Amino acid sequence: MISPLVQAVRIAVTEAQSVSGLLQAPRKARACFVFAHGAGAGMTHPFMVAVADDLARHGIATLRYQFVYLEQGSKRPDAPQRAHAVVRAAVREAARLLPEASLFAGGKSFGGRMTSQAQAISPLPAVRGLVFLGFPLHPAGQPATERATHLFATGVPLLFLQGTRDKLADPALLAPLAEKLGARATVELFREADHSFHAPVRSGQTDVGIRAELADTIAEWMGKISLGV
């Protein structure tokens, strides 16, 4: 069931095609995060809902949306070109719906990478920075950095939120990558968290606590970017 604080929207990608979206906008939102889902789950996944709720408590709006393949009931992710078109459409819609809010984009895993690829090809209008919740740097068990090459062409501040047990982003590779990206890149590591930001019980952490820390970090970073710090 959709919360009464969340508005269902349609996002036009082309004249013939649109996708579903969910706008969660607290009163006088100071920023809006155009929030793309991961490859295996859509915009109503509990993780997406929880992060959106936590960001709303910080006065940050979110526009979650579906990629075409999930909208059509497929499990096979869209080709990059199609995914990039949806990212651009969602950013346009967010700017239309909340013209006064500072605009940021990104997402969970696949969604974050499709957003950064789109930005690298051609800047997303009005987007101040990109946020990655588990950037998929490489396939599991195949450490490499080729997937990150396009990040050097994004031209905006980048926030990487990564678990230290993330099998899709070896911390030993992420640190030197961020150093090469320079001052634009900020990396925040979450102790013992995996790609889904789940940590084992023995770590003493909870999923709820990790998600709250994610939102705190995002809100503080967006505040700095908006102020030009």
Side-chain angles (χ1 to χ4, degrees), residues 65-113:
Y65 59 96
Q66 298 281 84
F67 285 109
V68 174
Y69 72 101
L70 281 185
E71 193 82 341
Q72 296 178 343
S74 173
K75 294 183 179 180
R76 183 176 181 179
D78 296 324
Q81 185 175 7
R82 172 178 269 192
H84 299 164
V86 176
V87 170
R88 291 189 182 283
V91 168
R92 287 195 303 268
E93 185 65 6
R96 186 186 73 80
L97 292 168
L98 295 172
E100 302 301 319
S102 295
L103 202 59
F104 297 85
K108 181 74 183 75
S109 194
F110 169 82
R113 186 160 69 99

Side-chain angles (χ1 to χ4, degrees), residues 15-224:
E15 289 186 2
Q17 186 173 66
S18 64
V19 295
S20 302
L22 293 171
L23 177 68
Q24 188 163 346
R27 188 178 180 186
K28 296 182 179 179
R30 57 190 176 92
C32 179
F33 180 34
V34 186
F35 190 10
H37 61 75
M43 65 183 180
T44 59
H45 186 275
F47 177 84
M48 300 284 290
V49 174
V51 172
D53 285 344
D54 286 340
L55 287 175
R57 284 190 276 273
H58 285 279
I60 296 172
T62 51
L63 177 59
R64 290 175 274 150
Y65 59 96
Q66 298 281 84
F67 285 109
V68 174
Y69 72 101
L70 281 185
E71 193 82 341
Q72 296 178 343
S74 173
K75 294 183 179 180
R76 183 176 181 179
D78 296 324
Q81 185 175 7
R82 172 178 269 192
H84 299 164
V86 176
V87 170
R88 291 189 182 283
V91 168
R92 287 195 303 268
E93 185 65 6
R96 186 186 73 80
L97 292 168
L98 295 172
E100 302 301 319
S102 295
L103 202 59
F104 297 85
K108 181 74 183 75
S109 194
F110 169 82
R113 186 160 69 99
M114 292 301 101
T115 301
S116 58
Q117 286 181 355
Q119 170 70 20
I121 293 168
S122 180
L124 298 166
V127 167
R128 306 283 300 275
L130 305 182
V131 180
F132 307 113
L133 292 94
F135 186 84
L137 189 58
H138 53 73
Q142 302 176 46
T145 58
E146 286 79 6
R147 284 184 175 180
T149 302
H150 71 278
L151 295 174
F152 291 90
T154 53
V156 293
L158 309 171
L159 175 61
F160 296 86
L161 306 167
Q162 305 285 155
T164 59
R165 293 174 56 248
D166 189 339
K167 294 182 179 180
L168 303 188
D170 185 341
L173 295 178
L174 191 60
L177 170 65
E179 187 174 344
K180 290 178 182 177
L181 286 165
R184 287 194 298 117
T186 300
V187 177
E188 294 291 342
L189 297 177
F190 291 77
R191 181 176 56 86
E192 293 294 308
D194 62 14
H195 190 63
S196 298
F197 292 97
H198 172 73
V201 175
R202 59 175 169 74
S203 71
Q205 301 185 90
T206 65
D207 290 359
V208 171
I210 291 173
R211 288 194 299 263
E213 189 178 348
L214 283 171
D216 291 346
T217 303
I218 293 169
E220 181 179 358
W221 181 83
M222 286 183 176
K224 291 179 178 179

